[in-house]
Amino acid sequence: MTTSFEQVEAELTTLSQDAQATIAQTKTLDELERLRVLYLGKKGQLSQILRNMGKMSADDRPRIGQTANDVKDTLASQLDQRLQELLSAGIEAQLLEETLDVTMPGVSRSFGHIHPLNRTIDRILDIFVGLGYTVATGPQVETDYYNFAALNIPEDHPARDMQDTFFFSDGRLLRTHTSPVQIRYMEKQQPPIKIVAPGRVYRRDTVDATHSAVFHQVEILLVDQGVSFADLRGTIKAFLAQMFGPDLPLRFRASYFPFTEPSAEVDIEWKGKWLEVLGCGMVDPSVLQSVGYDPEIYTGFAAGFGVERFAMVLHQIDDIRRLYNSDLRFLSQF
Ligand code: DAH
């Protein structure tokens, strides 16, 4: 049985009309893809109609082929056009849904930052590391030997009093200064020595605006051949200039520490007044002897700074207790 040209052409026309009406109605991308397969797929309706071409006369075949191609092109371009429409409708819907109200208040993030005391310690360490010093540390629980005896602090010195020092029942104590780090370091190393030692120290002080039972010091120690007081002076001046600015007025005032001879305290002029910021001096020969150095060959200098004092001066903090209260309203200013 042959299939007439008219019959196939009628089928193609019906397919084309039905398909165009259906494609125009599609609402989703999935639906549209299903229609593409239904009409134009390998086993789709167009292919099915063309399967009958073999039964047509040789004259009719090219004509029906042409018609079939036209239907295919028409449907393909309609499918594409609908695809574009659905895509842009989707974007618009999404945009509508996700409208930004730029006048709404933002969500602010809180940033963590370094505590002013640690910042001050870091700054002091940076300066001395820049001058070639090595950072050293020691234990906070000390023995009488390291905290006092090796530092030439005599038995009857007031610092050893129960009034000033926290003792454990076994005779150990909480170090009252960072100077014991000097002894511990020198015991293990031979000169030349150049260390900067930060740390926490403890004293039985009544807490008030300028005193705390726990506070922080930074110790420096330099031992070598031919070290003089002029070296100490130059080092302290260079350090304070970097800490507070180059034109800072400062003065060395003769003082006394058991572990240095001669000893000095250094004041800086701050807001029109002299303010003591550190103790220092030439390492006492007896201290060098206690670690087995020959004081005839080696000399050295040492200094100790109170970190809280520096932080308070740098940031105009009027009460030391603010540094320990963990009050974010205060801390977030730094
Ligand atoms: N250790 C002393 C104190 O706590 C401070 C000090 C003074 C340290 C003079 C030193 C120094 O190294 O040479 O008060």
Side-chain angles (χ1 to χ4, degrees):
M1 196 188 106
T2 57
T3 305
S4 74
F5 171 74
E6 284 74 20
Q7 199 183 331
V8 177
E9 192 177 45
E11 281 174 33
L12 284 174
T13 308
T14 310
L15 170 63
S16 182
Q17 284 169 355
D18 286 357
Q20 289 187 50
T22 313
I23 291 167
Q25 303 285 312
T26 44
K27 296 274 185 297
T28 69
L29 296 174
D30 282 352
E31 218 183 311
L32 193 67
E33 183 54 25
R34 252 181 279 122
L35 292 182
R36 183 190 299 280
V37 175
L38 177 69
Y39 302 131
L40 304 182
K42 264 194 192 134
K43 297 176 182 167
Q45 295 182 1
L46 189 64
S47 306
Q48 263 159 32
I49 295 170
L50 295 179
R51 210 165 290 156
N52 293 326
M53 272 187 34
K55 299 175 189 161
M56 285 168 51
S57 72
D59 285 352
D60 287 342
R61 269 184 231 159
R63 291 166 61 203
I64 210 69
Q66 180 62 51
T67 310
N69 271 338
D70 289 349
V71 170
K72 191 180 166 188
D73 289 348
T74 306
L75 294 185
S77 75
Q78 203 201 345
L79 283 164
D80 277 350
Q81 192 193 327
R82 189 65 192 150
L83 180 67
Q84 294 312 318
E85 285 168 10
L86 288 177
L87 284 176
S88 53
I91 290 168
E92 262 159 44
Q94 194 180 357
L95 284 176
L96 269 177
E97 208 169 286
E98 294 177 2
T99 314
L100 273 185
D101 180 354
V102 293
T103 65
M104 267 175 69
V107 182
S108 61
R109 279 166 180 274
S110 53
F111 289 98
H113 53 253
I114 297 173
H115 190 281
L117 272 180
N118 286 329
R119 285 245 301 251
T120 307
I121 292 174
D122 287 350
R123 202 163 146 188
I124 296 171
L125 294 185
D126 273 356
I127 295 172
F128 282 103
V129 168
L131 294 170
Y133 287 67
T134 301
V135 177
T137 53
Q140 295 179 32
V141 175
E142 267 299 4
T143 61
D144 179 281
Y145 177 75
Y146 288 108
N147 198 78
F148 297 125
L151 287 162
N152 196 36
I153 300 176
E155 285 290 339
D156 57 355
H157 194 278
R160 289 191 172 211
D161 202 307
M162 287 287 286
Q163 297 294 317
D164 293 305
T165 307
F166 289 107
F167 286 98
F168 294 96
S169 49
D170 63 4
R172 289 184 304 162
L173 49 89
L174 289 172
R175 68 178 177 195
T176 58
H177 52 178
T178 43
S179 302
V181 182
Q182 294 186 26
I183 306 298
R184 287 183 176 275
Y185 196 86
M186 286 191 287
E187 275 183 346
K188 293 206 183 76
Q189 305 281 331
Q190 287 304 304
I193 275 178
K194 232 176 149 181
I195 55 164
V196 57
R200 194 169 284 177
V201 301
Y202 303 82
R203 289 194 198 162
R204 294 176 70 120
D205 269 331
T206 307
V207 177
D208 63 22
T210 53
H211 294 85
S212 165
V214 184
F215 58 103
H216 300 78
Q217 291 188 333
V218 175
E219 188 89 10
I220 61 162
L221 170 69
L222 183 147
V223 181
D224 203 346
Q225 293 184 26
V227 179
S228 72
F229 198 90
D231 298 319
L232 169 60
R233 243 183 106 83
T235 303
I236 296 297
K237 279 177 108 166
F239 163 63
L240 290 175
Q242 283 199 52
M243 201 72 191
F244 296 102
D247 304 321
L248 178 81
L250 57 93
R251 70 176 183 195
F252 282 70
R253 199 163 26 78
S255 182
Y256 170 78
F257 299 102
F259 34 89
T260 46
E261 179 59 34
S263 305
E265 282 171 309
V266 178
D267 304 330
I268 60 170
E269 200 184 298
W270 196 255
K271 294 188 175 161
K273 282 191 205 146
W274 287 112
L275 179 74
E276 183 207 322
V277 289
L278 61 91
C280 62
M282 300 306 291
V283 180
D284 194 289
S286 66
V287 172
L288 296 174
Q289 261 158 357
S290 74
V291 296
Y293 291 1
D294 183 348
E296 296 298 323
I297 303 176
Y298 296 110
T299 50
F301 63 71
F305 329 121
V307 176
E308 279 76 356
R309 173 64 63 89
F310 278 57
M312 289 169 78
V313 169
L314 281 173
H315 301 296
Q316 354 250 308
I317 298 165
D318 55 357
D319 190 323
I320 197 171
R321 289 168 291 196
R322 290 192 188 281
L323 291 168
Y324 310 115
N325 283 348
S326 302
D327 182 342
L328 283 180
R329 289 170 304 176
F330 168 75
L331 291 176
S332 55
Q333 298 173 59
F334 300 96

